[in-house]
Amino acid sequence: MARGAQAAIAVGVAVFGFDADPGVSPSRALQVLTVRRTLPRGELGARERFAEAAARVGAEAGVELAPRRGGRTDRLHLVAIDDDPGRGGRTVTAWYYATASLGALDGSGAWAAAKSLRLEARDAAALRQATERLRQDARQVGGAASLLGDVFTGDDLLRLHVALHGGPEGSDRTFRRRIQELRDGGLLRPVADREVATLRARVPRFRSPAGTGGRPPELFRYAGTGGETEQLVALRARRSA
């Protein structure tokens, strides 16, 4: 770099949300936060750490990514460092990915279906890297649960797996059997009975499908610490050995 020239230091973040509505096509279920058809991005402040700047950029777009007191501290995941010696001067960008509950945004951002999103080359490359990291993380129960929010069903996990990977390994029945194993093992904790009625009144997919009279789905919370290595879909080879 020529003497006296300075590089701009920036952060960008790919924030993923998931639409668990059974009526939404898997090709549109995975959503990405955008700001005027780009990923949220901004320059690093003089006294900011990279993760702090990424959280600020996300907040300006409408989602809260900073850790709450006593809450998760690992919401932001570093994906890549992009060094762009563009015509206007070099810009070094630290790219992160995060997950957030899909819903109304209090900021400049908007949700867009990830598969149909068209971005400029730098943002598109960052999104590809972030999506691949998300796919890998969501093969673990904790990573999948982070996209579904605090409460979810076994079918929510199945729809998420289809949206990210194209379908479970083996049949749907094998997948649901695996969910039952995770429940029995304590990694998925049934929601307390005192909360269920309120949740079902508020969220349509937590109730029996209209007109079926069938049994409503069981509601779960993720009960792991984030350090487990349990795959969401796995053959029970240890039992057949």
Side-chain angles (χ1 to χ4, degrees), residues 18-21 72 100-102 141-142 144-160 179 187-207 216-223:
F18 182 73
D19 191 339
D21 185 335
R72 293 178 56 193
S101 297
L102 196 67
V141 184
S146 73
L147 265 173
L148 293 173
D150 181 47
V151 177
F152 50 88
T153 72
D155 279 352
D156 289 344
L157 287 167
L158 176 57
R159 282 189 289 271
L160 173 60
I179 295 299
L187 202 57
L188 296 180
R189 184 178 70 247
V191 171
D193 291 342
R194 64 181 180 277
E195 301 178 71
V196 169
T198 300
L199 288 167
R200 287 190 174 138
R202 192 167 61 208
V203 182
R205 76 176 191 279
F206 290 169
R207 304 192 290 265
E218 188 169 20
L219 308 183
F220 298 110
R221 284 191 172 96
Y222 173 59

Side-chain angles (χ1 to χ4, degrees), residues 206-217:
F206 290 169
R207 304 192 290 265
S208 299
T212 66
R215 183 177 179 180

Side-chain angles (χ1 to χ4, degrees), residues 7-12 41 44 49-51 54 77-85 90-97 122 125-127 129-130 133:
I9 302 177
V11 295
R41 186 169 55 191
L44 185 73
R49 297 178 183 273
F50 282 102
H77 308 272
L78 182 64
V79 174
I81 302 293
D82 174 35
D83 184 3
D84 179 19
R90 171 159 285 162
T91 300
V92 178
T93 305
W95 284 101
Y96 289 81
Y97 99 80
R122 289 177 62 199
L127 181 60
Q129 291 173 298
R133 172 71 182 273

